[in-house]
Amino acid sequence: MKVPWRTSIAFAAIAGLGIWLVPTMSDYPLDWIQAMELVALGLVIGAYGTMIGAGGGFLIVPILLLAWDLPPAQAAGTSLVVVFLNAVAGSIANARHKRIDFRSGLWFAGATLPGAVAGAFLSQYFSGRAFALTFGTMLFLVALLLMWKPVRAERSLGSEGVGGTRRILRDSAGNSFSWSFSLPIGMAVSFGIGFLSSALGIGGGIFHVPAMIHMLFFPAVIATATSQFILAFSSLVGGVTHVSLGNVLFGPATLMGIGVVGGAQVGSAISRRIKGALIVRLLSIALFIVAARLLMRGL
């Protein structure tokens, strides 16, 4: 793993300035210790989220609810702003490594947005005990599947005729990837993921990555990078909505945002050094966490 020293110095300077300055200007009472905790939290979530193609909202929301005792609306709104910053920073880092399928990502992002709007309007009908238990159980089973069989056999990635859209991509390290998929199926899946993500109040990366790998035959490393690119669009729409509703605490969001920007660079660098199977197994841990939250809510 190699993170440029200039980037490290710049991040340390920004983090130090934020820890010193933000608590005195924050819309939420903070001291320097809490400021350092938020930057550290953002750093870890930024690295982990970038590795698995998620924004980290599934971790940020429960931490803000339980450890910081924020109201649910403020926890969700503040989290979504941080998720957006993480998605943008991760996408920039992944773009440097040439691992984003931009054409597919734009199509999928376009399909995700109307699904997210529909999910927001209908979320009140999907928040009962039965839904939490049913969906939590389904996510738990998906997590078990990904832990047991994280990726498809490598020989099948470029050889299965699964649709009329074919992609060939070569990353900055010289690795070549070839796969084919059905664009209409991908857009339908993205619409459904946007709907579920909005209804549950979490980012769609933890759903998009396994769907892209097992339903659309994307290589794991391309799926995680493209997922973050898609997430940048969907989280922007949700973040702007929450800002307009006054649900964002900019002090904590700024400090965590500083951390995720630095963590995203680390996560992108690490993802180049590990195999796709390990990346997906790390994703399965995130699914286990979300499943546990839903099951506890239902019980």
Side-chain angles (χ1 to χ4, degrees):
M1 182 186 72
K2 182 179 180 181
V3 179
W5 64 269
R6 291 184 180 86
T7 301
S8 301
I9 293 175
F11 167 72
I14 294 171
L17 181 62
I19 291 170
W20 173 73
L21 185 62
V22 171
T24 64
M25 305 173 60
S26 178
D27 44 10
Y28 183 86
L30 293 169
D31 57 36
W32 287 7
I33 299 298
Q34 291 172 320
M36 292 175 64
E37 290 174 349
L38 286 170
V39 172
L41 174 63
L43 183 66
V44 173
I45 289 174
Y48 184 58
T50 300
M51 279 193 293
I52 66 174
F58 63 94
L59 292 173
I60 298 172
V61 171
I63 290 173
L64 292 179
L65 288 173
L66 299 175
W68 292 79
D69 198 29
L70 292 184
Q74 287 187 337
T78 303
S79 169
L80 205 53
V81 171
V82 180
V83 167
F84 168 70
L85 295 174
N86 188 15
V88 171
S91 295
I92 292 172
N94 286 322
R96 287 204 308 266
H97 301 317
K98 299 181 180 179
R99 287 192 163 184
I100 299 176
D101 178 0
F102 287 103
R103 285 186 294 171
S104 300
L106 288 172
W107 281 108
F108 294 164
T112 297
L113 297 181
V117 173
F121 279 104
L122 297 178
S123 61
Q124 57 183 325
Y125 302 106
F126 294 90
S127 57
R129 180 184 180 192
F131 173 77
L133 289 173
T134 301
F135 199 70
T137 301
M138 185 183 75
L139 285 185
F140 185 80
L141 294 176
V142 171
L144 286 177
L145 171 65
L146 292 179
M147 187 66 73
W148 172 60
K149 187 180 180 182
V151 294
R152 289 181 170 272
E154 291 295 329
R155 66 178 184 275
S156 70
L157 286 176
S159 59
E160 294 189 20
V162 296
T165 302
R166 184 170 181 82
R167 296 283 188 260
I168 299 174
L169 190 149
R170 186 180 181 88
D171 69 9
S172 61
N175 301 306
S176 296
F177 303 93
S178 174
W179 70 101
S180 59
F181 65 98
S182 169
L183 183 60
I185 291 177
M187 294 182 67
V189 168
S190 296
F191 178 89
I193 288 173
F195 179 87
L196 287 174
S197 300
S198 181
L200 293 173
I202 59 177
I206 59 173
F207 304 130
H208 244 134
V209 174
M212 291 169 73
I213 292 172
H214 288 278
M215 297 179 66
L216 302 177
F217 303 93
F218 274 62
V221 293
I222 305 300
T224 54
T226 305
S227 171
Q228 274 223 319
F229 176 68
I230 298 168
L231 184 59
F233 291 90
S234 58
S235 60
L236 173 62
V237 174
V240 169
T241 302
H242 278 287
V243 169
S244 67
L245 294 173
N247 291 335
V248 177
L249 294 176
F250 287 99
T254 299
L255 291 165
M256 282 189 289
I258 291 171
V260 299
V261 169
Q265 313 310 309
V266 176
S268 180
I270 293 175
S271 68
R272 300 178 65 199
R273 306 290 181 176
I274 59 180
K275 294 184 179 297
L278 178 56
I279 292 175
V280 179
R281 287 195 170 101
L282 290 172
L283 171 64
S284 70
I285 295 173
L287 284 172
F288 278 125
I289 294 171
V290 176
R293 285 181 58 202
L294 286 170
L295 291 173
M296 285 190 293
R297 179 192 300 176
L299 295 174

